[in-house]
């Protein structure tokens, strides 16, 4: 059987990015300083929804290198990575690829939700962020944080504020509070100036900690 390969996909960037940067630079002194440091680099979305979420599950609680290794092995199992093909895989083969028992269960549950239509992918464009989060967190292994990362990196929703993200809290502490501890309430107060582009501001806060952009 031929090994599965990740499909070659077009990379998308948000059409609101330049407008968001102008807004943030006007409203926030830190953003005015941060944004020019990173030139034309911006958020990118790639891949399909199922593959993106499957990859996020595989990468949970392991190093980036380990996640890449396991993901590569997992991709070799189906002819094509789809919900239906994952449901046909043998548990022993998935375990042999390096997946834990729990992650096998999570991937199967993800595939069931997509295959059965329990997640309304084609309706997402008309759904609010919270409605999409509610659908995603009903899948085993997907937390609110994972759902928020999906909203930012895959759906490119402009106004997501992931308060459960340690990097965001650390970045706000360093950039706005001289390294002092920051509460969720503090973070919300800072982010009030970012709306309606909290996702973009969060992206720049992450870049202030690690200049290399993250692909989700």
């Amino acid at each position: 059987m031929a090994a599965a390969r990740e499909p070659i996909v077009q990379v998308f960037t948000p059409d609101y990015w330049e407008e968001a940067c102008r807004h943030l630079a006007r409203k926030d002194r830190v953003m005015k300083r941060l944004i020019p440091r990173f030139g034309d680099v911006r958020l990118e979305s790639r891949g399909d929804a199922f593959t993106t979420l499957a990859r996020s599950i595989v990468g949970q609680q392991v190093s980036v290198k380990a996640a890449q290794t396991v993901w590569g092995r997992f991709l070799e199992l189906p002819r094509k990575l789809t919900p239906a093909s994952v449901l046909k895989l043998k548990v022993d083969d998935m375990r042999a690829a390096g997946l834990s028992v729990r992650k096998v269960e999570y991937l199967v549950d993800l595939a069931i939700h997509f295959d059965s239509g329990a997640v309304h992918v084609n309706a997402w464009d008309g759904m609010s962020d919270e409605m999409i989060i509610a659908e995603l967190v009903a899948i085993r292994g997907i937390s609110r944080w994972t759902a928020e990362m999906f909203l930012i990196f895959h759906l490119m929703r402009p106004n997501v504020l992931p308060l459960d993200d340690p990097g965001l809290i650390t970045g706000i502490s360093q950039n706005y509070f001289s390294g002092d501890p920051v509460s969720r309430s503090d973070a919300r107060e800072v982010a009030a100036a970012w709306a309606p582009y909290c996702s973009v501001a969060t992206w720049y806060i992450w870049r202030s900690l690690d200049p290399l952009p993250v692909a989700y």
Side-chain angles (χ1 to χ4, degrees):
M1 181 181 291
R5 293 289 183 269
E6 287 187 86
I8 298 173
V9 294
Q10 185 177 354
V11 174
F12 299 94
T13 59
D15 56 9
Y16 54 76
W17 198 263
E18 291 182 3
E19 177 188 342
C21 289
R22 288 194 295 269
H23 171 87
L24 293 169
R26 284 197 309 269
K27 296 286 188 178
D28 187 286
R29 59 179 176 78
V30 172
M31 289 295 137
K32 185 176 182 180
R33 170 175 56 81
L34 280 182
I35 290 170
R37 285 172 46 188
F38 301 100
D40 295 330
V41 182
R42 59 184 63 187
L43 178 68
E44 294 181 349
S45 174
R46 66 190 75 204
D48 62 40
F50 178 73
T51 300
T52 298
L53 289 168
R55 190 164 195 160
S56 75
I57 287 172
V58 170
Q60 287 174 5
Q61 298 179 327
V62 296
S63 69
V64 173
K65 184 177 180 180
Q68 289 174 339
T69 299
V70 175
W71 179 250
R73 291 173 182 164
F74 175 64
L75 281 180
E76 293 176 359
L77 300 178
R79 187 177 296 275
K80 183 179 180 182
L81 188 63
T82 65
S85 68
V86 169
L87 291 175
K88 293 176 182 176
L89 295 177
K90 296 179 180 178
V91 172
D92 287 348
D93 290 340
M94 295 172 75
R95 294 280 288 119
L99 291 163
S100 66
V101 171
R102 181 160 293 179
K103 286 186 180 179
V104 170
E105 293 172 351
Y106 291 169
L107 287 168
V108 169
D109 196 51
L110 176 70
I112 289 171
H113 275 77
F114 271 77
D115 192 59
S116 67
V119 288
H120 302 89
V121 178
N122 294 329
W124 281 346
D125 283 349
M127 292 169 62
S128 70
D129 292 352
E130 288 300 324
M131 290 172 68
I132 296 171
I133 288 171
E135 281 200 349
L136 294 179
V137 298
I139 303 169
R140 293 182 64 192
I142 295 183
S143 64
R144 181 180 179 88
W145 178 85
T146 302
E148 288 172 337
M149 294 303 102
F150 184 80
L151 287 175
I152 294 172
F153 285 98
H154 183 78
L155 296 179
M156 297 191 297
R157 291 294 177 99
N159 199 36
V160 180
L161 183 67
L163 291 172
D164 292 327
D165 185 77
L168 173 63
I169 300 302
T170 298
I172 289 176
S173 169
Q174 292 185 5
N175 285 284
Y176 293 85
F177 294 89
S178 302
D180 291 340
V182 171
S183 67
R184 292 167 69 94
S185 177
D186 293 332
R188 283 195 190 93
E189 286 186 19
V190 168
W194 298 348
Y197 297 113
C198 287
S199 301
V200 180
T202 297
W203 189 90
Y204 279 108
I205 291 293
W206 285 331
R207 297 289 68 71
S208 75
L209 301 176
D210 182 355
L212 293 176
V214 175
Y216 188 78

